Amino acid sequence: MTSTTATSESSETPVIVVAGYGPGISRTVALRLAKDKGLAVALLARTESRLRDAEKEFAAEGITAMGFPVDFGDVDATRRAIESVRTMLGPIHILFWNVASTTHATLLLDPSSISALSFSFASNVGSLVSAVQASLPDLTSARGAVLVTGGGMELDAVERAQSAVAWRFSSLAPMLAAKRKTVQVLHEELRAVGVYAGSVTVMGPVKGTGFDDGSGRAKIELSAVADKFAALLEARAGAFDSVA
């Protein structure tokens, strides 16, 4: 675990966990919500060097941040990371799930498709549920929230399946659909204990992210995604919204 901007003793400062931290959507949403709500930030990602750099970036913004390296393909490792956040940083008020799984594989023709599917489901469904379970005592006490980034290929429309095949994301689309259903179920289960769960479906490539190939096809602004998550959190009503 890395830490350059927080002490090793837990405080009572409320925390937003950013699972799948990167320089795009997760960074923009984390900065927005941390500033709006006065939160410390737990950064979860696979790459330790990225976490060290991010800690410094958040410190420059006046925000306490601590990095926790984790392999999201391992649901037990994800649970342990959440437990470390609670012990070393503070009580979790928001769990923001933005774990990427972008392996290019066709379901029928690519021999790597089974391993890609397995990893996608473990990292985006299994580990999401594991993280919710591990953070549930804090979320319940704070009447907190679980926020999840979705993608347009999760929707039940023929053109979305066609896009998945055309872009060689056949192994990604089934996971996105399963994650959407998981959010829907979490929304119903968690509201019984006062916790909100919701997702923003990002309907296309976002400028300044790994899906922006420089062709001009990326039209969605990072700030628009952050605005949608902030509004979803404020309303705490339906399970889904979208940005296009």
Side-chain angles (χ1 to χ4, degrees):
M1 188 191 62
T2 69
S3 174
T4 60
T5 63
T7 67
S8 60
E9 295 183 358
S10 174
S11 71
E12 290 305 309
T13 302
V15 173
I16 177 172
V17 173
V18 182
Y21 179 79
I25 289 174
S26 56
R27 179 181 184 275
T28 305
V29 173
L31 281 170
R32 170 70 180 274
L33 297 184
K35 290 178 177 179
D36 285 355
K37 304 294 184 180
L39 306 172
V41 181
L43 305 165
L44 276 60
R46 300 182 186 93
T47 307
E48 189 163 356
S49 59
R50 170 178 285 181
L51 294 173
R52 284 199 296 268
D53 292 341
E55 288 173 340
K56 297 173 184 177
E57 291 173 4
F58 277 83
E61 297 281 348
I63 298 169
T64 298
M66 183 182 288
F68 298 81
V70 59
D71 174 9
F72 294 107
D74 183 338
V75 296
D76 291 328
T78 300
R79 174 185 51 76
R80 290 192 296 270
I82 295 296
E83 291 170 351
S84 294
V85 171
R86 299 180 67 207
T87 300
M88 303 189 70
L89 192 53
I92 297 169
H93 283 209
I94 300 174
L95 173 63
F96 174 44
W97 199 263
N98 190 68
V99 176
S101 181
T102 56
T103 302
H104 287 256
T106 59
L107 289 183
L108 297 181
L109 303 180
D110 195 323
S112 68
S113 63
I114 299 302
S115 60
L117 275 171
S118 297
F119 179 78
S120 291
F121 274 82
S123 59
N124 278 278
V125 178
S127 279
L128 168 58
V129 174
S130 181
V132 172
Q133 290 176 346
S135 58
L136 189 56
D138 289 346
L139 293 173
T140 302
S141 178
R143 299 184 66 83
V146 178
L147 303 176
V148 179
T149 305
M153 284 182 284
E154 71 192 34
L155 300 177
D156 186 17
V158 172
E159 58 268 25
R160 294 295 169 179
Q162 291 170 340
S163 295
V165 172
W167 298 344
R168 296 193 66 242
F169 281 135
S170 298
S171 63
L172 178 64
M175 175 277 294
L176 287 171
K179 183 168 68 171
R180 182 181 179 87
K181 180 57 69 175
T182 302
V183 171
Q184 193 174 41
V185 171
L186 287 173
H187 179 82
E188 296 301 326
E189 287 196 357
L190 291 174
R191 68 179 178 176
V193 293
V195 177
Y196 172 75
S199 176
V200 172
T201 304
V202 181
M203 298 296 290
V206 179
K207 292 180 181 179
T209 69
F211 290 96
D212 184 355
D213 60 7
S215 67
R217 188 167 56 90
K219 303 293 186 183
I220 302 171
E221 299 286 349
L222 284 166
S223 59
V225 180
D227 287 345
K228 285 289 186 178
F229 273 110
L232 202 69
L233 181 62
E234 188 68 24
R236 295 174 69 98
F240 299 104
D241 201 348
S242 64
V243 59

